[in-house]
Amino acid sequence: MKLEEYLKNPDKEKLIDNIFSEIKKIQKDYEPFITISEKESREELKKKIKDREFLGIPISVKDNICTKGIKTTAGSKILENYVPPFDATAISKIKEVGYIIGKTKMDEFGFGTFCLNCAYGIPKNPRGVERSSGGSSGGSACLTSALNFPHISIAESTGGSISCPANFCGIVGLTPTYGLVSRYGLIDFASSLDKIGLMGKTIFEVAYGLTKIAGFDKKDSTSINKKPEDYTDHLKKDVSKFRVGVPKEYFNRVDEEVKKEVWRAIKKLEEKGVKYEEISLPSTKFALPTYYIISMSEASTNLARYCGIRYGETKELKGNYNEFFSGVRGEYFGEEAKRRILMGTFYRKAGYRDRYYLKALRVRRHIINEFKEMFKKFDCILSPTMPIIAPKFTDIALLSPAQQYAADFLTVAPNLCGFPHLSTPCGRAKGMPVGLHIIGDHLQEGKVLQLGSWI
Ligand code: GLN
């Protein structure tokens, strides 16, 4: 049953009776969870649902978002035993309508595109178990794709971690404008890029979920103070006056079959009256290195706090401080986290800061301006979400880290700019889902959802 139907006449009790056995089956087949949470016992939940306001919606949460009393690891061994004493703001908001069923797998701290860098195992794509669910929110997408019950999945994106797995698993993923959803209680990867967002089987679920979690929060200094709105109001509204831009650079190095399906979707929108124009965004080629320089630089400072003293795992206090810190970090960080700490530190090093990090910030501004110019003329910009269908694990094993990073070249720009974007399934290639990426100007999630609801 879809969430939209459930909300019309919610049989909360029946859902509570069935959801946990269902997700345990899914866990056996596809392994989306790090933790399944039955913290609120069925009896407690049954008491809670007596309250008419409480809708009893099952919620899954990416494991880098703090949940009170439920282990939160960010996919890392260094946080293996961390149980937050508080809820992230987005979680306390969504708990008004639902309860948490579990914490989903992710690449360690969000470092990855295929969910292979999780310290707690790899989720399998329900559309083909020999394939990746995408990263870094692979567990969220895997679960959402496999579960046929009303459900909302809360995920997070730094450079494409919602869109990519949503594309690979054939579901909808919404990344809101930077600052629209509070980051309070989100474990940082790159603070100027991290955004909490949503995944759903339908566009209604993400629009509904966003309505619940968006909003100003004084605990997050980058939070936007904006009047609340009901994002579901935008769905299925007429789009015949819409103008969209289709950047040619976003079709280079994209699989032919993927391109074909994306164009088919664009033509379908044209039948609804949407006017499209081919455009050029020449700075696109700089987006990937810009993203990796900024995100690794910020990650390397954010991860400095895991040193065995204040947060996370520790060891016996021995040797000088360098030996102690290196001992803890060497043991508990995974390979990709170490790579990013080393590279990020290099980019910020005295003498290199101007050459790499500060230059990347200037390029980022340039990319933003280029998009902003386009948004004067177009309501949305369309492209494929990922250049490929979900790859097989055996094929990913052949890729170098740099080749893996390169797979993100379509998703990094909207993330660098903090623009809202939606990935929605728009066809199939070799039996696997293809995603259409709909990008909007800041705070235009309404338009993005409006257009997406026609696909
Ligand atoms: N794949 C990108 C990376 O590895 C994006 C990850 C993310 O958005 N968390 O950094």
Side-chain angles (χ1 to χ4, degrees):
M1 188 198 249
K2 307 226 167 83
L3 180 66
E4 196 170 1
E5 289 157 40
Y6 172 82
L7 291 180
K8 286 184 191 137
N9 184 17
D11 190 342
K12 306 179 209 172
E13 190 143 345
K14 190 168 151 215
L15 186 55
I16 290 172
D17 284 337
N18 293 309
I19 188 79
F20 288 100
S21 55
E22 184 64 19
I23 62 173
K24 281 178 194 158
K25 254 191 263 156
I26 292 175
Q27 177 70 348
K28 227 166 116 221
D29 293 341
Y30 309 114
E31 302 171 45
F33 289 104
I34 293 179
T35 308
I36 290 182
S37 164
E38 288 184 271
K39 197 180 152 284
E40 291 190 85
S41 71
R42 253 164 249 208
E43 300 319 307
E44 281 170 61
L45 280 172
K46 284 197 173 165
K47 260 191 242 151
K48 221 165 154 184
I49 58 174
K50 297 241 153 52
D51 173 0
R52 291 234 332 243
E53 298 283 294
F54 182 72
L55 296 166
I57 303 169
I59 312 286
S60 65
V61 182
K62 185 174 179 178
D63 210 24
N64 57 351
I65 303 172
C66 289
T67 41
K68 185 173 177 179
I70 307 172
K71 197 168 80 163
T72 299
T73 69
S76 179
K77 280 281 171 209
I78 210 154
L79 288 173
E80 187 164 15
N81 296 300
Y82 177 53
V83 180
F86 71 109
D87 275 322
T89 299
I91 300 304
S92 45
K93 283 177 171 248
I94 200 78
K95 272 186 169 174
E96 284 169 20
V97 294
Y99 54 93
I100 293 166
I101 53 173
K103 303 299 293 287
T104 51
K105 281 185 186 160
M106 56 179 289
D107 288 289
E108 184 173 14
F109 291 104
F111 302 152
T113 306
F114 305 106
C115 219
L116 298 183
N117 303 327
C118 178
Y120 304 95
I122 299 165
K124 303 187 187 95
N125 192 321
R127 304 297 181 101
V129 289
E130 71 291 4
R131 293 177 188 268
S132 160
S133 297
S136 64
S137 316
S140 291
C142 167
L143 174 69
T144 304
S145 168
L147 185 63
N148 284 318
F149 285 45
H151 154 245
I152 291 175
S153 196
I154 308 233
E156 175 274 340
S157 172
T158 306
S161 277
I162 292 178
S163 291
C164 160
N167 178 155
F168 285 175
C169 294
I171 55 154
V172 181
L174 174 66
T175 308
T177 303
Y178 178 81
L180 184 62
V181 176
S182 167
R183 283 186 297 117
Y184 179 73
L186 169 68
I187 296 178
D188 299 305
F189 164 177
S191 314
S192 77
L193 291 158
D194 299 340
K195 300 156 293 285
I196 293 180
L198 300 126
M199 294 204 193
K201 260 219 148 77
T202 64
I203 198 153
F204 177 84
E205 287 159 24
V206 299
Y208 178 84
L210 181 65
T211 307
K212 298 295 164 198
I213 66 173
F216 177 68
D217 180 12
K218 64 176 184 320
K219 292 191 203 124
D220 170 2
S221 62
T222 55
S223 170
I224 298 174
N225 202 345
K226 179 188 165 287
K227 210 168 97 240
E229 64 177 297
D230 184 344
Y231 291 97
T232 62
D233 288 347
H234 298 276
L235 306 180
K236 286 287 170 185
K237 269 204 208 150
D238 177 43
V239 285
S240 62
K241 300 248 155 29
F242 265 53
R243 293 177 66 87
V244 301
V246 184
K248 61 173 199 274
E249 293 82 1
Y250 283 67
F251 288 79
N252 297 338
R253 290 182 292 137
V254 172
D255 276 3
E256 284 307 319
E257 282 175 284
V258 169
K259 265 190 222 170
K260 210 174 90 204
E261 292 302 299
V262 169
W263 272 112
R264 212 163 54 92
I266 296 171
K267 299 279 178 198
K268 263 200 200 144
L269 288 173
E270 196 183 20
E271 285 165 24
K272 300 268 177 281
V274 176
K275 305 245 172 332
Y276 77 83
E277 206 176 293
E278 285 188 65
I279 59 169
S280 173
L281 290 168
S283 302
T284 298
K285 57 178 175 297
F286 304 121
L288 196 68
T290 305
Y291 166 76
Y292 273 99
I293 290 173
I294 295 175
S295 69
M296 288 181 183
S297 302
E298 293 184 15
S300 71
T301 59
N302 276 327
L303 264 52
R305 66 179 64 123
Y306 306 103
C307 65
I309 305 267
R310 287 183 64 198
Y311 299 96
E313 293 302 306
T314 189
K315 283 163 87 97
E316 196 195 335
L317 203 53
K318 260 198 337 219
N320 66 29
Y321 65 84
N322 256 336
E323 284 158 359
F324 173 73
F325 292 163
S326 305
V328 172
R329 291 160 70 80
E331 178 160 343
Y332 293 105
F333 279 139
E335 195 183 325
E336 184 59 25
K338 287 177 191 161
R339 180 177 296 116
R340 297 200 185 201
I341 291 170
L342 289 174
M343 293 184 52
T345 308
F346 172 81
Y347 296 139
R348 292 185 300 109
K349 219 170 101 160
Y352 289 127
R353 200 177 135 82
D354 278 355
R355 199 186 302 168
Y356 297 111
Y357 183 61
L358 297 183
K359 187 165 186 183
L361 291 181
R362 285 199 296 276
V363 178
R364 177 189 203 169
R365 173 48 56 194
H366 188 74
I367 298 171
I368 296 174
N369 292 344
E370 205 171 272
F371 267 92
K372 281 281 190 191
E373 258 325 289
M374 289 297 163
F375 284 128
K376 286 186 187 154
K377 203 162 152 210
F378 300 105
D379 298 287
C380 293
I381 288 172
L382 305 183
S383 80
T385 304
M386 294 300 287
I388 47 173
I389 56 166
K392 292 187 178 153
F393 293 120
T394 45
D395 291 334
I396 303 168
L398 304 173
L399 300 177
S400 69
Q403 285 168 322
Q404 295 194 21
Y405 302 158
D408 295 337
F409 80 97
L410 297 170
T411 59
V412 285
N415 279 280
L416 273 173
C417 303
F419 291 138
H421 49 281
L422 179 92
S423 179
T424 174
C426 71
R428 276 162 189 277
K430 298 196 180 74
M432 292 302 288
V434 170
L436 173 73
H437 221 202
I438 305 176
I439 307 164
D441 198 357
H442 293 128
L443 296 176
Q444 297 301 316
E445 9 287 285
K447 280 188 182 174
V448 167
L449 289 162
Q450 189 174 342
L451 195 61
S453 67
W454 290 98
I455 296 290

